[in-house]
Amino acid sequence: MTRGRKPTAPNLKVLAGTDRPDRGAQDAPDYDLVEEFPDPPQYLNTDGAQMWSDIGRQLVAARVLQVVDLFSLEQLCFAWQCFRRKAKAEMEPTAAETTALKSLFSEFGMTPASRAKVSSGGEKAKGNKFGNNGKRA
């Protein structure tokens, strides 16, 4: 069964500059953005809590973290702490654990390939002939 690419979240399309009203799902749910980032869940160890704080605050600052995303972020941080626990014990993670962690990283734009699909919305580099998205300066 061929699935094709996963759809990109609307807020990430806005950051990437590829958002088009005619292509968006008209009935896509829109959740509140996280304004104040919460403390890490109690059960996260030092590694998980560190990731929660570091990554979460950056996602809030970029205005891409919605309230419902906190559950996925929690799952990512828990998977990370499990990965780190095994690494510290010099144990190999299973292929399933590695794949799941990589998938979660990708969901949050934390791999080079997934990050290349999103820009911060900052100024474009000078000298880039494609910097004006095909418009003449």
Side-chain angles (χ1 to χ4, degrees):
M1 173 163 95
T2 304
R3 294 185 177 183
R5 285 190 197 186
K6 281 191 304 187
T8 303
N11 53 346
L12 295 180
K13 287 180 183 179
V14 171
L15 284 175
T18 60
D19 185 42
R20 285 182 41 181
D22 62 322
R23 288 189 177 168
Q26 301 303 324
D27 59 350
D30 190 23
Y31 300 100
D32 293 333
L33 287 174
V34 174
E35 300 291 335
E36 291 187 36
F37 193 68
D39 290 333
Q42 292 288 331
Y43 70 87
L44 290 178
N45 68 15
T46 305
D47 291 319
Q50 184 68 43
M51 175 177 260
W52 174 272
S53 297
D54 292 347
I55 301 306
R57 295 190 198 300
Q58 290 184 41
L59 292 170
V60 169
R63 302 195 47 80
V64 296
L65 188 68
Q66 296 181 5
V67 173
V68 296
D69 299 331
L70 291 173
F71 302 106
S72 296
L73 181 60
E74 185 176 339
Q75 185 181 14
L76 169 63
C77 294
F78 183 76
W80 176 250
Q81 82 177 18
C82 293
F83 175 84
R84 295 288 295 161
R85 184 181 304 131
K86 280 192 167 185
K88 289 175 184 178
E90 297 183 11
M91 296 172 57
E92 289 289 323
T94 64
E97 290 168 335
T98 303
T99 300
L101 186 58
K102 184 176 179 186
S103 176
L104 286 164
F105 279 140
S106 182
E107 288 291 327
F108 286 97
M110 294 171 55
T111 64
S114 64
R115 193 170 41 254
K117 298 176 187 175
V118 180
S119 70
S120 65
E123 290 195 27
K124 299 189 184 331
K126 292 182 179 183
N128 180 354
K129 64 181 178 178
F130 300 108
N132 291 328
N133 290 329
K135 298 174 188 162
R136 295 187 188 270

